[in-house]
Amino acid sequence: MATPKLSYSLLLLIFITTFSQQAKLGISKLEQVPTPPLPLLPLPSYSQLKWQQRELIMFLHFGVNTFSDSEWGTGKENPSIFNPVGLNASQWVAAASDAGFDLMILTAKHHDGFCLWPSKYTRHSVVGSPWKNGHGDVVKEFVTAAKVHGGVDVGLYLSPWDRHDRRYGRNLEYNEYYLAQLQELLRKYGSVKEIWFDGAKGTNAPNMSYYFSDWFAMVKELQMSINIFSDAGPDVRWVGDEKGFAGDTCWSTINRTSLSIGNGSIVGYLNTGDPRGTDWLPAECDVSIREGWFWHKSQEPKKLSDLLQIYYNSVGRNCVLLFNVPPNTTGLISESDVNRLKQFRIAINTIFTTNLADKCLVKASSVRGGKSSDFGPDKVLDHDHLWTYWAPRDDNNNVRNDIDHWIELRDDRGLRFNVVRIQEPIGLGQRIKMHEIYLDGKLISNGTTIGYKRLHRLENGMVHGRVVRIRIAEYRGSVPLISSIGLHFDPYWKPNEL
């Protein structure tokens, strides 16, 4: 009788031991699943991430300057000159959408003070014009056209400098007036995704203190998901020039305490950003399709080659391109501008639709959590450019960045390209300070920052080889991250013909 009792006890002990070991093993397996690296502060907000992914925004400069053939109006223009008899905002939206723009910003009021909507605080507006017998509303038609079309958001520019209104120069009165108009625009016309403020004004303008903090607070109260643009943010910063060019080094981080609106001495700082910046404040590059910002009969759109250079130096340098396309006196975007926009979109699609790296074998210097983790080098070839990425093995003790981190793409059939695209997962911060690109062991390009997108259009034109290696030479934080890599062919890039 003792034997069965012993066997039963032994079986029970084995069962308990096995169950306990399996439980411990299960826990340890879960604990061993590699987690994402810590983010590197500061980080973008949700609305800043959505803004960055747009890449292209259209600006529409339109108003009495369109009819007076000027850039900066005097404020003394008679509203009767504003008469765009063929105005069709749906044509504006269609032209923008067909060219790949999904946000359009309209100059609701420029420096001349003329308002494109019937503001109840001034007669210097469409109310005093013959257009639609004084009953028109350009802002409303613009917003309605975008809504009907779908897929296109709207933004507004309300010039702080007002050369018409007599209250300008009297701080309290004018700031109350400005805030009143701001409330009209942000309460009456639905969702606004970006609002533009600047410090532009003439040298002889009256002294005026703008209550920017009050304005910004009001904007955020009325439109929760809006991005505010100005020299000092708080959501988007000016790039520091009107050529559409960001700095070759361009950080999305900067110190807002070092910025002030209308301060010409900080344009260099705006252009490059600051790797030690405590604020996420990405740059927007503004430039016009023509020489001027407003439409002029004597001007034609820039050449396609110029537009592509602007794209490489803005979107290709971690920025968003704000591209001005001004409606003409009829109230339409001119046919020559529409055609140039179509050519621009065809060119961008031709260059970037095909990624020649898609069929490459990918390997890296190391992988966070090992080869079977979610951070392998293959992630740079998927279609998620924000939340999937290659992460090398972490080394918290590597304060000098002296570990050789690299990722390599190989195609033994051969690769022929003249553009290299690299992207960081900026949702976890901007990290890379210096990088190098090699083809079959030979250096073909190098640069500093990457950010959301870095485009290297190779100076000597097309190259061919089998192995492309991207080496991260210097970075912030404990580990660099890359979310996407592309090898592309730009048939429009012929440096030998320049």
Side-chain angles (χ1 to χ4, degrees):
M1 297 296 294
T3 303
K5 287 184 178 179
L6 180 62
S7 299
Y8 176 78
S9 300
L10 184 60
L11 287 171
L12 183 61
L13 179 63
I14 292 171
F15 173 77
I16 293 172
T17 302
T18 303
F19 179 81
S20 177
Q21 288 176 341
Q22 287 177 340
K24 288 179 180 178
L25 184 62
I27 292 172
S28 65
K29 282 184 177 179
L30 289 175
E31 289 176 344
Q32 288 174 6
V33 173
T35 55
L38 288 174
L40 186 64
L41 302 180
L43 300 178
S45 67
Y46 177 81
S47 60
Q48 286 173 322
L49 275 178
K50 299 297 288 185
W51 169 89
Q52 188 86 56
Q53 290 175 287
R54 294 182 188 277
E55 298 193 357
L56 299 170
I57 301 173
M58 185 173 287
F59 216 171
L60 299 162
H61 274 66
F62 188 54
V64 289
N65 292 347
T66 308
F67 298 84
S68 64
D69 198 30
S70 61
E71 286 289 301
W72 279 10
T74 64
K76 298 177 181 179
E77 293 84 4
N78 191 320
S80 65
I81 68 172
F82 184 83
N83 192 22
V85 292
L87 189 147
N88 184 351
S90 295
Q91 187 251 6
W92 305 352
V93 175
S97 180
D98 289 347
F101 295 78
D102 64 0
L103 173 60
M104 304 173 73
I105 299 175
L106 175 67
T107 55
K109 183 186 81 170
H110 204 252
H111 310 324
D112 50 74
F114 181 80
C115 299
L116 293 182
W117 79 102
S119 173
K120 65 182 179 181
Y121 300 104
T122 181
R123 293 283 300 174
H124 197 59
S125 73
V126 287
V127 170
S129 77
W131 179 60
K132 295 195 172 182
N133 296 317
H135 298 290
D137 186 338
V138 180
V139 176
K140 183 178 180 180
E141 295 204 15
F142 168 60
V143 169
T144 301
K147 185 176 182 179
V148 169
H149 184 280
V152 177
D153 294 319
V154 301
L156 296 170
Y157 169 67
L158 184 65
S159 172
W161 184 29
D162 191 321
R163 304 186 75 179
H164 173 80
D165 198 88
R166 293 180 181 179
R167 285 164 284 200
Y168 191 87
R170 300 200 289 268
N171 287 346
L172 179 60
E173 290 182 57
Y174 182 74
N175 275 281
E176 288 179 340
Y177 170 66
Y178 189 91
L179 272 168
Q181 291 198 319
L182 200 58
Q183 290 177 68
E184 281 186 317
L185 292 172
L186 296 183
R187 292 180 61 198
K188 186 177 178 181
Y189 295 102
S191 177
V192 177
K193 293 300 183 183
E194 183 169 338
I195 189 156
W196 237 71
F197 299 105
D198 64 11
K201 65 179 181 179
T203 54
N204 296 323
N207 290 328
M208 181 75 218
S209 294
Y210 302 134
Y211 297 173
F212 282 116
S213 295
D214 296 45
W215 301 358
F216 295 170
M218 179 64 70
V219 168
K220 290 294 187 178
E221 180 184 14
L222 296 176
Q223 298 271 346
M224 186 171 62
S225 63
I226 198 170
N227 281 316
I228 299 174
F229 168 97
S230 81
D231 297 354
D235 301 305
V236 179
R237 77 177 193 261
W238 183 42
V239 77
D241 64 52
E242 293 184 345
K243 300 182 299 182
F245 286 15
D248 188 58
T249 296
C250 190
W251 292 95
S252 293
T253 52
I254 205 165
N255 286 315
R256 282 196 66 207
T257 54
S258 300
L259 306 179
S260 56
I261 300 174
N263 181 359
S265 67
I266 61 171
V267 292
Y269 187 55
L270 290 169
N271 200 243
T272 62
D274 189 342
R276 294 173 296 279
T278 56
D279 302 288
W280 188 273
L281 194 59
E284 188 169 273
C285 300
D286 57 324
V287 69
S288 185
I289 193 171
R290 293 164 171 251
E291 181 182 347
W293 289 93
F294 286 88
W295 181 85
H296 303 282
K297 186 176 182 180
S298 61
Q299 296 178 2
E300 290 295 325
K302 294 180 170 80
K303 296 183 296 183
L304 176 61
S305 59
D306 293 332
L307 303 191
L308 289 175
Q309 184 181 19
I310 290 168
Y311 181 85
Y312 280 107
N313 288 333
S314 55
V315 176
R317 290 182 176 176
N318 186 39
C319 295
V320 168
L321 172 58
L322 178 61
F323 198 43
N324 180 64
V325 185
N328 59 27
T329 50
T330 305
L332 299 172
I333 294 177
S334 296
E335 185 177 354
S336 59
D337 292 355
V338 172
N339 289 336
R340 186 67 83 240
L341 288 171
K342 289 179 180 178
Q343 293 170 1
F344 176 69
R345 174 42 52 187
I346 290 170
I348 296 300
N349 289 345
T350 299
I351 298 164
F352 295 105
T353 297
T354 300
N355 184 358
L356 301 171
D358 276 346
K359 296 182 180 179
C360 287
L361 298 174
V362 192
K363 70 176 184 177
S365 52
S366 66
V367 177
R368 180 182 180 86
K371 293 182 179 180
S372 60
S373 78
D374 290 333
F375 308 107
D378 58 301
K379 299 300 181 183
V380 304
L381 296 182
D382 66 17
H383 297 290
D384 185 342
H385 299 164
L386 275 180
W387 298 112
T388 64
Y389 46 88
W390 164 63
R393 185 172 56 249
D394 202 344
D395 185 352
N396 293 318
N397 297 319
N398 179 32
V399 295
R400 294 180 297 139
N401 291 173
D402 53 3
I403 291 180
D404 194 25
H405 292 302
W406 52 264
I407 186 167
E408 193 173 271
L409 305 118
R410 183 185 190 97
D411 190 336
D412 288 331
R413 296 168 301 176
L415 294 160
R416 304 170 76 90
F417 59 93
N418 57 8
V419 176
V420 180
R421 172 179 53 83
I422 314 173
Q423 298 186 238
E424 287 185 79
I426 60 170
L428 294 173
Q430 188 177 354
R431 300 164 182 254
I432 296 173
K433 299 172 72 175
M434 193 170 297
H435 62 286
E436 300 164 348
I437 305 170
Y438 295 86
L439 179 63
D440 295 341
K442 180 182 178 181
L443 182 69
I444 57 172
S445 191
N446 57 52
T448 52
T449 51
I450 291 177
Y452 176 72
K453 180 176 287 187
R454 182 62 183 256
L455 299 175
H456 288 274
R457 187 167 58 168
L458 303 181
E459 291 182 1
N460 296 321
M462 188 175 67
V463 294
H464 31 92
R466 295 188 306 155
V467 181
V468 175
R469 174 176 288 197
I470 297 172
R471 177 176 176 265
I472 310 305
E474 192 174 348
Y475 51 93
R476 298 171 63 236
S478 61
V479 64
L481 307 173
I482 294 181
S483 61
S484 186
I485 296 176
L487 303 176
H488 305 280
F489 176 65
D490 180 349
Y492 307 90
W493 176 232
K494 299 175 182 178
N496 295 330
E497 296 181 8
L498 297 179

